[in-house]
Amino acid sequence: MDKFLESIIQAAKDAGAKDIEVAKISGKDLIFGPKEKPELNIIRLLSTVYYDEDDNLVLEMKAGLGSSGSDFLSEAYGILEKQVKDIYKSATNEFEKCTNTLKELIENKIEEMDKGESKDVSED
């Protein structure tokens, strides 16, 4: 038993407590209410847009398994990572198509804007 815990027990005894019991628990022993249970990512589908170091607009798709969620499924239910990937394969493929469609739309809008700017410049 560490000194801090011993000092707490001694303070409780000094205050008149009797029959003090010490129980060691771990995080796995704690029971959380519904609001306190963590949400674990199983799959992550993310499209990001940003400018790179050359000021080019970049649209990226990131898809992957959330390690905490897949670890939980594996440990709690014996569901393999490959099984989860197979289940989400069609959704991931569709998400990739949507991201590419958005990328094409953005590129078309940039082209339209560039043409509009060049027309405006030539009119001055």
Side-chain angles (χ1 to χ4, degrees), residues 80-124:
L80 302 175
E81 187 175 300
K82 182 182 179 337
Q83 290 173 298
V84 176
K85 283 182 179 180
D86 289 345
I87 289 168
Y88 281 98
K89 185 174 182 166
S90 62
T92 304
N93 290 341
E94 285 302 311
F95 186 74
E96 184 175 10
K97 287 178 189 176
C98 292
T99 301
N100 289 334
T101 300
L102 178 59
K103 184 177 181 178
E104 288 175 21
L105 177 61
I106 292 169
E107 289 170 351
N108 290 338
K109 292 295 182 180
I110 290 172
E111 273 184 41
E112 288 175 17
M113 291 169 62
D114 287 345
K115 287 178 185 176
E117 286 178 12
S118 62
K119 286 180 185 175
D120 292 341
V121 172
S122 65
E123 291 177 2
D124 287 337

Side-chain angles (χ1 to χ4, degrees), residues 68-86:
S68 58
S70 14
D71 288 348
F72 169 75
L73 291 174
S74 176
E75 290 174 20
Y77 302 107
I79 298 172
L80 302 175
E81 187 175 300
K82 182 182 179 337
Q83 290 173 298
V84 176
K85 283 182 179 180
D86 289 345

